[in-house]
Amino acid sequence: GWSRRIANLVHVFHSCASSDRTTLRLANGRDGRPILGFEFALPGNVADHRVEQEVPVRVIPETEAETIREPPLPEPEYQIELPSSLARLKSVLEKMKAVGAQHILVEAAQEKAGGAMANPASTMSGNGGPCRAWLKLVAEAELVTIASTFSSLTLVMEGKTTTPPEGPVRLFLSLRRLAEVLAAFQLISAEAHIACVLQNRALVLYALLPQSLGSLISYTPAVLS
């Protein structure tokens, strides 16, 4: 196995997205260090252009690779589909970083319907549409607090065996890590982004790839408040 920062890989994936065929190889680079090599062709006016890119990687010993597993997690309290464009979310996080904030509070809850909390046992709202949820991001710095709420987000019930709680759920995350994840996800032409909120445990983000190619998953653990 091997490891590399996700942003480096996403940059290369974005470059070869328009190529009909991409060849990957794990080899030693020009300096003798391990790399993941990408070879692909980009269309030109007269002829295709052959492109080679190398991404430095760290080869993981077999004994270490055996310990790397997806962390066991309970079912999330909320599964929320994020806005189709992550630009606004990313902009909010950048403003929070600019004022010196280190951590971010993520809060989620089912939206109220008709002045009362929507029935958590139902997957449909009072008007017959899918249930909606809101997601609130809050960051505090020494002199300022920034809060932003994203409302009317689709509440995803697929795969859930339990109903969402009646009240909001919260968790504190590293602002830097979450900003890096969103920046990487923004480069991917995903069909949808799903945020799974597990109170005081983690925020798991899924980028659903087009043509049912799979999904990109990011796990951001909660930090102590």
Side-chain angles (χ1 to χ4, degrees), residues 110-111 113 116-124 131 163-164 166:
Q110 193 167 346
E111 283 190 348
M117 179 65 70
N119 180 6
S122 174
T123 61
M124 306 295 288
C131 283
T163 57
E166 294 188 11

Side-chain angles (χ1 to χ4, degrees), residues 62-175:
E62 183 177 357
T63 54
E64 181 182 345
E66 291 177 350
T67 66
I68 301 176
R69 295 184 177 87
E70 185 174 336
L73 293 172
E75 184 176 292
E77 284 87 355
Y78 286 105
Q79 299 176 159
I80 300 173
E81 183 172 347
L82 299 178
S84 55
S85 172
L86 298 179
R88 185 183 165 202
L89 275 164
K90 184 172 177 288
S91 175
V92 170
L93 298 187
E94 291 299 329
K95 291 178 181 178
M96 292 174 171
K97 288 172 59 180
V99 299
Q102 300 294 317
H103 299 95
I104 182 171
L105 170 65
V106 178
E107 188 174 14
Q110 193 167 346
E111 283 190 348
K112 296 180 180 179
M117 179 65 70
N119 180 6
S122 174
T123 61
M124 306 295 288
S125 64
N127 59 11
C131 283
R132 299 286 175 175
W134 54 260
L135 188 70
K136 186 176 182 180
L137 307 177
V138 183
E140 294 184 357
E142 185 176 356
L143 300 175
V144 66
T145 297
I146 298 177
S148 183
T149 301
F150 298 83
S151 58
S152 298
L153 302 176
T154 299
L155 187 61
V156 180
M157 298 301 295
E158 182 179 354
K160 281 187 64 63
T161 59
T162 60
T163 57
E166 294 188 11
V169 297
R170 303 176 180 87
L171 72 159
F172 284 89
L173 303 174
S174 163
L175 176 56

